[in-house]
Short mmCIF file of all heavy atoms in Angstrom, two decimals:
data_model
loop_
_atom_site.label_atom_id
_atom_site.label_comp_id
_atom_site.label_asym_id
_atom_site.label_seq_id
_atom_site.Cartn_x
_atom_site.Cartn_y
_atom_site.Cartn_z
N MET I 1 0.84 -1.18 -0.04
CA MET I 1 0.02 -0.05 -0.01
C MET I 1 0.91 1.20 -0.02
O MET I 1 1.97 1.19 0.57
CB MET I 1 -0.93 0.01 1.23
CG MET I 1 -2.09 -0.90 0.97
SD MET I 1 -3.18 -0.87 2.42
CE MET I 1 -2.35 -2.10 3.42
N GLU I 2 0.37 2.23 -0.57
CA GLU I 2 1.15 3.48 -0.70
C GLU I 2 0.42 4.60 0.16
O GLU I 2 -0.76 4.72 0.19
CB GLU I 2 1.18 3.97 -2.12
CG GLU I 2 1.93 2.95 -3.01
CD GLU I 2 1.87 3.41 -4.51
OE1 GLU I 2 1.85 4.62 -4.72
OE2 GLU I 2 1.99 2.56 -5.34
N GLY I 3 1.32 5.43 0.75
CA GLY I 3 0.80 6.56 1.38
C GLY I 3 0.62 6.54 2.91
O GLY I 3 0.45 7.58 3.56
N MET I 4 0.78 5.33 3.46
CA MET I 4 0.69 5.21 4.92
C MET I 4 1.94 5.69 5.60
O MET I 4 3.06 5.46 5.14
CB MET I 4 0.41 3.76 5.30
CG MET I 4 -0.81 3.15 4.89
SD MET I 4 -1.06 1.53 5.57
CE MET I 4 0.33 0.67 5.01
N HIS I 5 1.77 6.44 6.72
CA HIS I 5 2.95 6.91 7.46
C HIS I 5 2.84 6.74 8.94
O HIS I 5 3.83 7.04 9.68
CB HIS I 5 3.27 8.30 7.02
CG HIS I 5 2.25 9.31 7.32
ND1 HIS I 5 1.21 9.50 6.44
CD2 HIS I 5 2.00 10.02 8.40
CE1 HIS I 5 0.42 10.47 7.01
NE2 HIS I 5 0.83 10.76 8.15
N CYS I 6 1.69 6.35 9.48
CA CYS I 6 1.51 6.20 10.93
C CYS I 6 0.41 5.22 11.26
O CYS I 6 -0.32 4.70 10.35
CB CYS I 6 1.18 7.58 11.54
SG CYS I 6 -0.46 8.16 11.12
N ASN I 7 0.38 4.87 12.54
CA ASN I 7 -0.66 3.85 12.93
C ASN I 7 -2.11 4.33 12.68
O ASN I 7 -2.99 3.50 12.41
CB ASN I 7 -0.46 3.49 14.38
CG ASN I 7 0.80 2.66 14.63
OD1 ASN I 7 1.22 1.90 13.68
ND2 ASN I 7 1.35 2.73 15.78
N SER I 8 -2.36 5.60 12.69
CA SER I 8 -3.67 6.05 12.41
C SER I 8 -4.14 5.78 10.93
O SER I 8 -5.21 5.51 10.73
CB SER I 8 -3.76 7.63 12.63
OG SER I 8 -3.69 7.90 14.01
N CYS I 9 -3.13 5.77 10.06
CA CYS I 9 -3.39 5.34 8.67
C CYS I 9 -3.90 3.95 8.69
O CYS I 9 -4.84 3.64 7.95
CB CYS I 9 -2.15 5.53 7.80
SG CYS I 9 -1.50 7.22 7.66
N GLY I 10 -3.22 3.08 9.38
CA GLY I 10 -3.62 1.67 9.44
C GLY I 10 -5.01 1.51 10.01
O GLY I 10 -5.77 0.63 9.54
N LEU I 11 -5.28 2.31 11.04
CA LEU I 11 -6.66 2.17 11.69
C LEU I 11 -7.69 2.57 10.70
O LEU I 11 -8.79 1.96 10.68
CB LEU I 11 -6.71 3.00 12.89
CG LEU I 11 -5.82 2.52 14.07
CD1 LEU I 11 -5.91 3.50 15.21
CD2 LEU I 11 -6.25 1.15 14.53
N LEU I 12 -7.50 3.58 9.89
CA LEU I 12 -8.45 4.03 8.83
C LEU I 12 -8.76 2.89 7.88
O LEU I 12 -9.83 2.63 7.51
CB LEU I 12 -7.96 5.27 8.10
CG LEU I 12 -7.95 6.55 8.89
CD1 LEU I 12 -7.26 7.65 8.06
CD2 LEU I 12 -9.38 6.97 9.15
N ILE I 13 -7.65 2.22 7.46
CA ILE I 13 -7.80 1.09 6.53
C ILE I 13 -8.54 -0.06 7.16
O ILE I 13 -9.51 -0.65 6.58
CB ILE I 13 -6.43 0.65 5.98
CG1 ILE I 13 -5.83 1.77 5.10
CG2 ILE I 13 -6.54 -0.68 5.19
CD1 ILE I 13 -4.42 1.57 4.73
N ASP I 14 -8.13 -0.36 8.36
CA ASP I 14 -8.85 -1.46 9.11
C ASP I 14 -10.31 -1.23 9.26
O ASP I 14 -11.17 -2.13 9.04
CB ASP I 14 -8.20 -1.72 10.46
CG ASP I 14 -6.82 -2.30 10.34
OD1 ASP I 14 -6.48 -2.83 9.31
OD2 ASP I 14 -6.03 -2.14 11.34
N ASP I 15 -10.71 0.00 9.59
CA ASP I 15 -12.11 0.36 9.73
C ASP I 15 -12.87 0.16 8.44
O ASP I 15 -13.99 -0.41 8.40
CB ASP I 15 -12.25 1.81 10.17
CG ASP I 15 -11.95 2.02 11.68
OD1 ASP I 15 -11.85 1.03 12.38
OD2 ASP I 15 -11.74 3.21 12.00
N GLU I 16 -12.29 0.56 7.31
CA GLU I 16 -12.97 0.38 5.97
C GLU I 16 -13.02 -1.12 5.65
O GLU I 16 -14.05 -1.63 5.12
CB GLU I 16 -12.24 1.16 4.96
CG GLU I 16 -12.45 2.61 4.99
CD GLU I 16 -13.84 3.08 4.68
OE1 GLU I 16 -14.63 2.35 4.03
OE2 GLU I 16 -14.26 4.17 5.17
N MET I 17 -11.94 -1.82 5.88
CA MET I 17 -11.97 -3.25 5.53
C MET I 17 -12.98 -4.00 6.33
O MET I 17 -13.66 -4.93 5.77
CB MET I 17 -10.60 -3.92 5.92
CG MET I 17 -9.54 -3.54 4.95
SD MET I 17 -9.75 -4.40 3.38
CE MET I 17 -8.17 -4.26 2.69
N GLU I 18 -13.21 -3.72 7.62
CA GLU I 18 -14.11 -4.41 8.38
C GLU I 18 -15.60 -4.11 8.01
O GLU I 18 -16.47 -4.75 8.53
CB GLU I 18 -13.81 -4.14 9.90
CG GLU I 18 -12.50 -4.87 10.27
CD GLU I 18 -12.05 -4.55 11.67
OE1 GLU I 18 -12.66 -3.76 12.36
OE2 GLU I 18 -10.94 -5.13 12.07
N GLU I 19 -15.80 -3.07 7.18
CA GLU I 19 -17.11 -2.81 6.68
C GLU I 19 -17.47 -3.70 5.46
O GLU I 19 -18.64 -3.77 5.03
CB GLU I 19 -17.27 -1.35 6.27
CG GLU I 19 -17.18 -0.43 7.47
CD GLU I 19 -18.38 -0.60 8.46
OE1 GLU I 19 -19.50 -0.79 7.94
OE2 GLU I 19 -18.10 -0.55 9.65
N VAL I 20 -16.47 -4.37 4.85
CA VAL I 20 -16.70 -5.22 3.69
C VAL I 20 -17.44 -6.48 4.15
O VAL I 20 -16.96 -7.19 5.00
CB VAL I 20 -15.36 -5.53 2.97
CG1 VAL I 20 -15.65 -6.52 1.81
CG2 VAL I 20 -14.69 -4.29 2.45
N PRO I 21 -18.58 -6.82 3.53
CA PRO I 21 -19.26 -8.02 3.93
C PRO I 21 -18.34 -9.24 3.74
O PRO I 21 -17.72 -9.39 2.78
CB PRO I 21 -20.42 -8.11 2.93
CG PRO I 21 -20.63 -6.69 2.44
CD PRO I 21 -19.28 -6.07 2.48
N GLY I 22 -18.36 -10.08 4.76
CA GLY I 22 -17.49 -11.25 4.74
C GLY I 22 -16.17 -11.15 5.44
O GLY I 22 -15.44 -12.11 5.62
N VAL I 23 -15.76 -9.88 5.81
CA VAL I 23 -14.53 -9.71 6.51
C VAL I 23 -14.81 -9.62 7.99
O VAL I 23 -15.65 -8.85 8.45
CB VAL I 23 -13.83 -8.35 6.03
CG1 VAL I 23 -12.63 -8.04 6.93
CG2 VAL I 23 -13.44 -8.45 4.61
N ARG I 24 -14.23 -10.50 8.78
CA ARG I 24 -14.34 -10.55 10.24
C ARG I 24 -13.43 -9.60 10.90
O ARG I 24 -13.77 -8.89 11.84
CB ARG I 24 -14.12 -11.95 10.71
CG ARG I 24 -14.36 -12.06 12.24
CD ARG I 24 -14.11 -13.40 12.82
NE ARG I 24 -14.00 -14.44 11.90
CZ ARG I 24 -13.33 -15.58 12.13
NH1 ARG I 24 -12.78 -15.81 13.25
NH2 ARG I 24 -13.28 -16.49 11.24
N ALA I 25 -12.15 -9.53 10.45
CA ALA I 25 -11.14 -8.68 11.12
C ALA I 25 -10.09 -8.22 10.09
O ALA I 25 -9.91 -8.87 9.05
CB ALA I 25 -10.48 -9.35 12.23
N SER I 26 -9.47 -7.07 10.34
CA SER I 26 -8.47 -6.54 9.52
C SER I 26 -7.31 -6.03 10.43
O SER I 26 -7.53 -5.46 11.45
CB SER I 26 -8.99 -5.41 8.70
OG SER I 26 -7.95 -4.73 7.92
N ARG I 27 -6.05 -6.34 10.02
CA ARG I 27 -4.93 -5.79 10.74
C ARG I 27 -3.90 -5.33 9.76
O ARG I 27 -3.37 -6.04 8.89
CB ARG I 27 -4.30 -7.00 11.60
CG ARG I 27 -3.15 -6.50 12.51
CD ARG I 27 -2.61 -7.61 13.29
NE ARG I 27 -1.65 -7.34 14.32
CZ ARG I 27 -0.51 -6.67 14.18
NH1 ARG I 27 -0.19 -6.23 12.96
NH2 ARG I 27 0.32 -6.50 15.19
N THR I 28 -3.60 -4.02 9.88
CA THR I 28 -2.69 -3.31 8.95
C THR I 28 -1.36 -3.16 9.66
O THR I 28 -1.27 -2.60 10.79
CB THR I 28 -3.25 -2.01 8.47
OG1 THR I 28 -4.46 -2.25 7.80
CG2 THR I 28 -2.29 -1.30 7.61
N ASP I 29 -0.28 -3.58 9.03
CA ASP I 29 1.07 -3.38 9.50
C ASP I 29 1.63 -2.23 8.63
O ASP I 29 2.01 -2.48 7.48
CB ASP I 29 1.88 -4.62 9.29
CG ASP I 29 3.29 -4.56 9.78
OD1 ASP I 29 3.88 -3.44 9.80
OD2 ASP I 29 3.87 -5.57 10.16
N VAL I 30 1.76 -1.05 9.29
CA VAL I 30 2.20 0.12 8.52
C VAL I 30 3.62 -0.02 8.02
O VAL I 30 3.90 0.28 6.89
CB VAL I 30 2.00 1.39 9.39
CG1 VAL I 30 2.55 2.59 8.69
CG2 VAL I 30 0.53 1.62 9.71
N LYS I 31 4.45 -0.56 8.91
CA LYS I 31 5.91 -0.69 8.48
C LYS I 31 6.09 -1.58 7.29
O LYS I 31 6.88 -1.33 6.44
CB LYS I 31 6.72 -1.17 9.70
CG LYS I 31 6.91 -0.08 10.72
CD LYS I 31 7.81 -0.66 11.85
CE LYS I 31 7.97 0.49 12.95
NZ LYS I 31 8.78 -0.03 13.99
N ALA I 32 5.35 -2.70 7.35
CA ALA I 32 5.40 -3.65 6.18
C ALA I 32 4.63 -3.21 5.00
O ALA I 32 4.81 -3.65 3.88
CB ALA I 32 4.95 -5.05 6.65
N GLY I 33 3.62 -2.26 5.18
CA GLY I 33 2.80 -1.84 4.10
C GLY I 33 1.74 -2.92 3.65
O GLY I 33 1.44 -3.00 2.49
N ARG I 34 1.35 -3.71 4.61
CA ARG I 34 0.39 -4.78 4.35
C ARG I 34 -0.78 -4.81 5.23
O ARG I 34 -0.64 -4.45 6.44
CB ARG I 34 1.12 -6.14 4.42
CG ARG I 34 2.14 -6.36 3.43
CD ARG I 34 2.78 -7.68 3.63
NE ARG I 34 3.80 -7.92 2.62
CZ ARG I 34 3.68 -8.63 1.48
NH1 ARG I 34 2.50 -9.19 1.25
NH2 ARG I 34 4.64 -8.79 0.68
N THR I 35 -1.95 -5.31 4.76
CA THR I 35 -3.07 -5.54 5.55
C THR I 35 -3.45 -6.99 5.40
O THR I 35 -3.49 -7.50 4.30
CB THR I 35 -4.28 -4.67 5.11
OG1 THR I 35 -3.93 -3.28 5.26
CG2 THR I 35 -5.57 -4.96 5.94
N THR I 36 -3.71 -7.62 6.55
CA THR I 36 -4.18 -9.06 6.57
C THR I 36 -5.59 -9.07 7.03
O THR I 36 -5.96 -8.40 7.98
CB THR I 36 -3.32 -9.85 7.52
OG1 THR I 36 -1.94 -9.75 7.08
CG2 THR I 36 -3.74 -11.31 7.52
N VAL I 37 -6.46 -9.69 6.28
CA VAL I 37 -7.88 -9.76 6.67
C VAL I 37 -8.17 -11.21 7.03
O VAL I 37 -7.68 -12.21 6.49
CB VAL I 37 -8.78 -9.33 5.52
CG1 VAL I 37 -8.63 -7.83 5.26
CG2 VAL I 37 -8.70 -10.11 4.27
N THR I 38 -9.08 -11.34 8.00
CA THR I 38 -9.62 -12.63 8.46
C THR I 38 -11.09 -12.64 7.93
O THR I 38 -11.89 -11.77 8.22
CB THR I 38 -9.56 -12.80 9.93
OG1 THR I 38 -8.23 -12.66 10.42
CG2 THR I 38 -10.16 -14.17 10.34
N LEU I 39 -11.42 -13.66 7.27
CA LEU I 39 -12.78 -13.79 6.63
C LEU I 39 -13.72 -14.54 7.56
O LEU I 39 -13.28 -15.37 8.36
CB LEU I 39 -12.66 -14.46 5.28
CG LEU I 39 -11.74 -13.85 4.23
CD1 LEU I 39 -11.79 -14.63 2.95
CD2 LEU I 39 -12.13 -12.43 3.92
N ASP I 40 -14.99 -14.23 7.46
CA ASP I 40 -15.99 -14.95 8.20
C ASP I 40 -15.94 -16.46 7.78
O ASP I 40 -15.71 -16.76 6.61
CB ASP I 40 -17.40 -14.43 7.91
CG ASP I 40 -17.62 -13.07 8.57
OD1 ASP I 40 -16.96 -12.78 9.57
OD2 ASP I 40 -18.50 -12.30 8.04
N GLY I 41 -16.28 -17.31 8.72
CA GLY I 41 -16.31 -18.72 8.43
C GLY I 41 -17.63 -19.24 7.97
O GLY I 41 -17.91 -20.43 7.90
N ASP I 42 -18.62 -18.34 7.60
CA ASP I 42 -19.95 -18.69 7.21
C ASP I 42 -20.10 -19.02 5.73
O ASP I 42 -21.20 -19.33 5.24
CB ASP I 42 -20.93 -17.66 7.59
CG ASP I 42 -20.75 -16.35 6.74
OD1 ASP I 42 -19.85 -16.26 5.94
OD2 ASP I 42 -21.53 -15.42 6.96
N GLY I 43 -18.95 -19.13 5.09
CA GLY I 43 -19.06 -19.53 3.61
C GLY I 43 -19.37 -18.42 2.69
O GLY I 43 -19.52 -18.62 1.48
N GLY I 44 -19.41 -17.17 3.25
CA GLY I 44 -19.67 -16.03 2.37
C GLY I 44 -18.46 -15.80 1.41
O GLY I 44 -17.38 -16.29 1.66
N THR I 45 -18.70 -15.06 0.36
CA THR I 45 -17.67 -14.80 -0.64
C THR I 45 -17.32 -13.32 -0.59
O THR I 45 -18.11 -12.50 -0.64
CB THR I 45 -18.22 -15.13 -2.04
OG1 THR I 45 -18.55 -16.51 -2.10
CG2 THR I 45 -17.10 -14.91 -3.11
N VAL I 46 -16.04 -13.05 -0.46
CA VAL I 46 -15.48 -11.70 -0.54
C VAL I 46 -14.91 -11.50 -1.97
O VAL I 46 -14.10 -12.32 -2.42
CB VAL I 46 -14.43 -11.52 0.53
CG1 VAL I 46 -13.81 -10.11 0.40
CG2 VAL I 46 -15.01 -11.69 1.94
N VAL I 47 -15.33 -10.46 -2.60
CA VAL I 47 -14.81 -10.09 -3.91
C VAL I 47 -13.52 -9.31 -3.73
O VAL I 47 -13.55 -8.29 -3.06
CB VAL I 47 -15.84 -9.34 -4.72
CG1 VAL I 47 -15.23 -8.92 -6.06
CG2 VAL I 47 -17.12 -10.09 -4.87
N PRO I 48 -12.39 -9.81 -4.23
CA PRO I 48 -11.11 -9.15 -4.06
C PRO I 48 -11.12 -7.64 -4.38
O PRO I 48 -10.51 -6.85 -3.65
CB PRO I 48 -10.18 -9.87 -4.97
CG PRO I 48 -10.71 -11.26 -5.05
CD PRO I 48 -12.24 -11.07 -5.03
N ASP I 49 -11.85 -7.20 -5.44
CA ASP I 49 -11.93 -5.84 -5.80
C ASP I 49 -12.59 -5.00 -4.70
O ASP I 49 -12.23 -3.83 -4.59
CB ASP I 49 -12.70 -5.67 -7.07
CG ASP I 49 -11.95 -6.15 -8.32
OD1 ASP I 49 -10.65 -6.29 -8.24
OD2 ASP I 49 -12.51 -6.43 -9.35
N GLU I 50 -13.48 -5.64 -3.88
CA GLU I 50 -14.06 -4.87 -2.73
C GLU I 50 -13.04 -4.56 -1.72
O GLU I 50 -13.13 -3.49 -1.06
CB GLU I 50 -15.20 -5.69 -2.14
CG GLU I 50 -16.41 -5.82 -3.04
CD GLU I 50 -17.48 -6.69 -2.45
OE1 GLU I 50 -17.41 -7.05 -1.23
OE2 GLU I 50 -18.45 -6.95 -3.21
N LEU I 51 -12.01 -5.32 -1.53
CA LEU I 51 -10.92 -5.09 -0.59
C LEU I 51 -10.07 -3.95 -1.06
O LEU I 51 -9.73 -3.07 -0.26
CB LEU I 51 -10.05 -6.33 -0.35
CG LEU I 51 -10.82 -7.58 0.15
CD1 LEU I 51 -9.90 -8.79 0.25
CD2 LEU I 51 -11.43 -7.28 1.54
N VAL I 52 -9.73 -3.90 -2.32
CA VAL I 52 -8.98 -2.79 -2.87
C VAL I 52 -9.78 -1.50 -2.78
O VAL I 52 -9.24 -0.44 -2.33
CB VAL I 52 -8.50 -3.10 -4.35
CG1 VAL I 52 -7.90 -1.86 -5.01
CG2 VAL I 52 -7.58 -4.23 -4.42
N ALA I 53 -11.08 -1.61 -3.06
CA ALA I 53 -11.96 -0.43 -2.95
C ALA I 53 -12.00 0.10 -1.53
O ALA I 53 -12.04 1.33 -1.30
CB ALA I 53 -13.32 -0.76 -3.51
N ALA I 54 -11.97 -0.75 -0.56
CA ALA I 54 -12.01 -0.36 0.84
C ALA I 54 -10.75 0.45 1.14
O ALA I 54 -10.83 1.50 1.83
CB ALA I 54 -12.08 -1.53 1.74
N VAL I 55 -9.59 0.06 0.64
CA VAL I 55 -8.38 0.75 0.92
C VAL I 55 -8.43 2.13 0.21
O VAL I 55 -8.05 3.12 0.83
CB VAL I 55 -7.13 -0.04 0.43
CG1 VAL I 55 -5.88 0.83 0.43
CG2 VAL I 55 -6.99 -1.34 1.18
N GLN I 56 -8.99 2.15 -1.02
CA GLN I 56 -9.10 3.39 -1.71
C GLN I 56 -10.04 4.38 -0.96
O GLN I 56 -9.82 5.56 -0.99
CB GLN I 56 -9.59 3.14 -3.11
CG GLN I 56 -8.49 2.49 -3.93
CD GLN I 56 -8.96 2.00 -5.31
OE1 GLN I 56 -10.13 1.80 -5.53
NE2 GLN I 56 -7.98 1.71 -6.17
N ARG I 57 -11.11 3.86 -0.42
CA ARG I 57 -12.06 4.78 0.35
C ARG I 57 -11.33 5.38 1.56
O ARG I 57 -11.67 6.50 1.96
CB ARG I 57 -13.26 3.93 0.84
CG ARG I 57 -14.29 3.69 -0.20
CD ARG I 57 -15.62 3.12 0.35
NE ARG I 57 -15.47 1.89 1.14
CZ ARG I 57 -15.49 0.71 0.59
NH1 ARG I 57 -15.64 0.56 -0.71
NH2 ARG I 57 -15.36 -0.35 1.37
N ALA I 58 -10.39 4.62 2.08
CA ALA I 58 -9.57 5.18 3.22
C ALA I 58 -8.57 6.19 2.73
O ALA I 58 -7.96 6.90 3.60
CB ALA I 58 -8.94 4.05 4.00
N GLY I 59 -8.36 6.33 1.42
CA GLY I 59 -7.51 7.33 0.90
C GLY I 59 -6.10 6.89 0.50
O GLY I 59 -5.21 7.66 0.34
N TYR I 60 -6.00 5.52 0.27
CA TYR I 60 -4.70 4.89 -0.03
C TYR I 60 -4.82 4.09 -1.39
O TYR I 60 -5.88 3.81 -1.74
CB TYR I 60 -4.17 4.09 1.13
CG TYR I 60 -4.11 4.90 2.41
CD1 TYR I 60 -5.22 4.94 3.25
CD2 TYR I 60 -3.02 5.72 2.66
CE1 TYR I 60 -5.23 5.70 4.45
CE2 TYR I 60 -2.98 6.49 3.89
CZ TYR I 60 -4.05 6.51 4.65
OH TYR I 60 -4.02 7.25 5.82
N GLN I 61 -3.69 3.67 -1.83
CA GLN I 61 -3.61 2.85 -3.02
C GLN I 61 -3.18 1.38 -2.61
O GLN I 61 -2.39 1.24 -1.65
CB GLN I 61 -2.61 3.32 -4.07
CG GLN I 61 -3.02 4.71 -4.60
CD GLN I 61 -4.31 4.70 -5.32
OE1 GLN I 61 -4.64 3.79 -6.13
NE2 GLN I 61 -5.23 5.63 -5.03
N ALA I 62 -3.66 0.39 -3.24
CA ALA I 62 -3.31 -0.95 -2.90
C ALA I 62 -3.41 -1.88 -4.07
O ALA I 62 -3.96 -1.57 -5.06
CB ALA I 62 -4.35 -1.48 -1.84
N SER I 63 -2.71 -3.00 -3.96
CA SER I 63 -2.80 -4.14 -4.89
C SER I 63 -2.97 -5.39 -4.07
O SER I 63 -2.60 -5.45 -2.92
CB SER I 63 -1.67 -4.17 -5.79
OG SER I 63 -0.44 -4.38 -5.04
N LEU I 64 -3.52 -6.44 -4.64
CA LEU I 64 -3.72 -7.71 -3.95
C LEU I 64 -2.58 -8.67 -4.10
O LEU I 64 -1.91 -8.73 -5.18
CB LEU I 64 -4.97 -8.39 -4.49
CG LEU I 64 -6.29 -7.75 -4.19
CD1 LEU I 64 -7.40 -8.50 -4.89
CD2 LEU I 64 -6.57 -7.84 -2.68
N THR I 65 -2.24 -9.33 -2.95
CA THR I 65 -1.29 -10.41 -2.95
C THR I 65 -2.05 -11.56 -2.34
O THR I 65 -2.42 -11.49 -1.12
CB THR I 65 0.01 -10.09 -2.13
OG1 THR I 65 0.55 -8.94 -2.70
CG2 THR I 65 0.93 -11.18 -2.20
N LEU I 66 -2.36 -12.55 -3.09
CA LEU I 66 -3.14 -13.73 -2.53
C LEU I 66 -2.24 -14.86 -2.18
O LEU I 66 -1.24 -15.08 -2.67
CB LEU I 66 -4.19 -14.15 -3.54
CG LEU I 66 -5.17 -13.06 -3.97
CD1 LEU I 66 -6.09 -13.64 -5.05
CD2 LEU I 66 -5.98 -12.62 -2.78
#
């Protein structure tokens, strides 16, 4: 991810990620520039583009690494 510089940046991203249906939790490591999401175990489907859109809503750029 690009543009993060402090823990508050990570919290903004985590808040947006956790609004995506099917995401149970989000943890952003600002130093590593990565966010790890934990998905619900109910069999729901998360669309990868929705995760990137969540980062963009928080004001940052991202790409997926699966």
Side-chain angles (χ1 to χ4, degrees):
M1 279 182 275
E2 297 177 28
M4 293 187 304
H5 59 274
C6 68
N7 288 333
S8 292
C9 297
L11 292 174
L12 288 171
I13 292 168
D14 291 339
D15 287 346
E16 287 293 336
M17 284 289 197
E18 290 173 357
E19 293 296 320
V20 174
V23 173
R24 182 179 349 154
S26 175
R27 185 176 187 306
T28 298
D29 182 334
V30 175
K31 287 183 182 180
R34 293 181 180 260
T35 297
T36 302
V37 296
T38 303
L39 304 178
D40 288 335
D42 66 358
T45 302
V46 175
V47 178
D49 289 340
E50 291 178 8
L51 300 175
V52 172
V55 173
Q56 292 171 340
R57 283 192 301 274
Y60 305 92
Q61 296 299 312
S63 60
L64 289 174
T65 303
L66 303 175

